[in-house]
Amino acid sequence: MNAPHRLALDGTALRANWQALARVSGAACGAAVKADGYGLGAHAVVVRLLAAGCRDFFVSSWNEARALADIDLASAGATLSVLHGVRDEDMAAARELTARPVLNTPAQVKRWRDAGGRPCDVMVDTGMNRLGIAAADIAAGLLDGLAIDTLMSHLACADEASAMNERQRDHFAALSGRTCAKRMSLANSAGITLGADYHFDLTRPGLALYGGLPVAALGEAIRPVVRIEAEVLQRRTVAMGESVGYNATWIAPAETEVAIVNLGYADGYWRGFSDTGTAFAADVALPVIGRVSMDLVALDVSRADVAEGDWIAFDPDLPRAAVASGMSQYELITGLGHRFDRIWRD
Ligand SMILES: *Cc1c(COP(=O)(O)O)cnc(C)c1O
C-alpha cells in the first residue's frame, strides 16, 4: 500500500549537481552520504553518484557503512570512509568491511595501528576544535608509518566570509608533505566556492548535492533534488471568524477553502512551518495556515481547485524553506521522516 505522502526524488538533478560541483572543484569530487544520504536514502544516492563518476563516499558510522556494503564500490575503484573513526566495538565491522576509518584521535590511531594498520584516512584539526588530531601531534610523529590515503580537515566558517577560512587553509596547506598521505582534502559544499586554493586533491560536498545552497554563489549550478508530496485527506469551507488547528491560532479573515493534508512534524515537516510554509497546486501557491500537527497540516486552497485525494507538492526550494521554518537547510533534509515512500525518478 502506498503511503499518503512521498518524496519525489530527482536522480538527474542529483547527478547534475555532483557534476557541477566536480567541475568547480577542479579536483576529485566525493560525496558525503552520512545521515542516510542527508535523509534521501544513502543506498539510492550512492548507486546514482557511482554511476555519475563519484569515487569517494563518506558516512559517519560503521552502521552506516554496513548499510552500503552490498554496493560493489571496489570494482569501480571507489571507496567509503567512516568519518568518526573506530571505537573498540567497531573493530569487528572495520575488519569485515572494506571501508576506511577516518582516524580522529591518538587513541584511534593506536587502535588502528595495533590492529595491523590497513589503509586509513586521518582528520586533522585546523581550528574548528571539533574532530581531529592536533598538528603538533603530527609533527611529533604520531602518524609515522601509517598507510594514510587522505589527510583531511574541515572548515568551520566556509559558508561566510570569515578570516578563519584562510587561517584554516594555511594551517592545512602547511601539512603538505609532512605525512605519507596520498591526498589532501579540505572543502565541503561551501568550501568549494572559496576558490582553487581550497580544493587540494579531493572535495567533499554534501548539502549542495541534495539541492541545498550553503552560499548564494552556487545558486546557478544547483537544482532541487527532493520534493515533498502529500495527499489531501479532507477539504472543508471555514466560515469567517472560525479558527483552524491546535490552539486556534489562525482565524479566517473571510470564508476560506481549506485542505487538510497528510503531512506533519512527525514526517519532518516541522512546526516552524506553521503559518509560513508553502505548497503548490500547479503554479498557485497554497499557504500553510495555523499550527502544523504531528500528522496533518492545513492549507488555504481558496485560489486553487483542490479536492480530497489530490496530491499536493510542497515548496522544494531549500533556502526558502529554511527561511520559512527558521531551521537550517541541513536540518530540513536530514529530518525527512521514515514514513515517506521515497520515489526516484531516474
Ligand atoms: C558533513 C561533512 C561534509 C559535507 O558538508 P556539507 O556542508 O554538507 O557540504 C564534508 N566533510 C565532513 C568532514 C563532514 O562531516
Side-chain angles (χ1 to χ4, degrees), residues 137-222:
D137 287 339
I138 295 180
L142 179 71
L143 305 179
D144 292 358
L146 266 189
I148 305 172
D149 184 286
T150 305
L151 182 71
M152 60 183 86
S153 191
H154 195 52
L155 295 166
C157 307
D159 58 354
E160 52 184 334
S162 164
M164 190 160 170
N165 291 325
E166 274 177 45
R167 278 203 305 276
Q168 285 197 270
R169 181 203 59 197
D170 292 347
H171 279 150
F172 189 58
L175 293 168
S176 178
R178 300 293 174 84
T179 70
C180 58
K182 294 183 192 151
R183 304 187 295 178
M184 293 180 74
S185 172
L186 179 63
N188 62 350
S189 300
I192 289 171
T193 67
L194 294 175
D197 47 350
Y198 288 80
H199 297 162
F200 294 90
D201 305 304
L202 169 69
T203 59
R204 308 185 307 267
L207 184 72
L209 294 171
Y210 309 110
L213 287 183
V215 288
L218 279 172
E220 301 285 288
I222 299 301

Side-chain angles (χ1 to χ4, degrees), residues 87-267:
R87 305 167 303 166
D88 279 333
E89 56 262 64
D90 295 324
M91 285 306 299
R95 282 194 194 90
E96 172 199 337
L97 302 171
T98 55
R100 290 194 299 266
V102 180
L103 304 177
N104 292 288
T105 70
Q108 289 190 348
V109 169
K110 177 169 190 319
R111 186 172 295 123
W112 195 246
R113 232 190 245 292
D114 290 351
R118 271 198 350 230
C120 60
D121 299 328
V122 171
M123 176 69 73
V124 57
D125 181 61
T126 51
M128 187 177 188
N129 283 306
R130 194 176 65 169
L131 286 178
I133 63 171
D137 287 339
I138 295 180
L142 179 71
L143 305 179
D144 292 358
L146 266 189
I148 305 172
D149 184 286
T150 305
L151 182 71
M152 60 183 86
S153 191
H154 195 52
L155 295 166
C157 307
D159 58 354
E160 52 184 334
S162 164
M164 190 160 170
N165 291 325
E166 274 177 45
R167 278 203 305 276
Q168 285 197 270
R169 181 203 59 197
D170 292 347
H171 279 150
F172 189 58
L175 293 168
S176 178
R178 300 293 174 84
T179 70
C180 58
K182 294 183 192 151
R183 304 187 295 178
M184 293 180 74
S185 172
L186 179 63
N188 62 350
S189 300
I192 289 171
T193 67
L194 294 175
D197 47 350
Y198 288 80
H199 297 162
F200 294 90
D201 305 304
L202 169 69
T203 59
R204 308 185 307 267
L207 184 72
L209 294 171
Y210 309 110
L213 287 183
V215 288
L218 279 172
E220 301 285 288
I222 299 301
R223 289 152 54 182
V225 175
V226 54
R227 186 177 65 231
I228 295 173
E229 298 176 351
E231 226 181 295
V232 175
L233 185 54
Q234 184 169 22
R235 181 189 163 128
R236 62 172 60 254
T237 303
V238 176
M240 185 173 88
E242 289 195 7
S243 68
V244 171
Y246 279 124
N247 305 106
T249 58
W250 188 86
I251 311 285
E255 186 174 275
T256 305
E257 294 302 311
V258 175
I260 308 300
V261 179
N262 257 301
L263 179 72
Y265 60 76
D267 303 301

Side-chain angles (χ1 to χ4, degrees), residues 60-94:
S60 290
S61 70
W62 290 91
N63 281 346
E64 291 184 337
R66 189 184 294 285
L68 301 172
D70 68 319
I71 301 175
D72 182 10
L73 295 174
S75 69
T79 59
L80 179 62
S81 297
V82 179
L83 289 165
H84 292 188
V86 273
R87 305 167 303 166
D88 279 333
E89 56 262 64
D90 295 324
M91 285 306 299

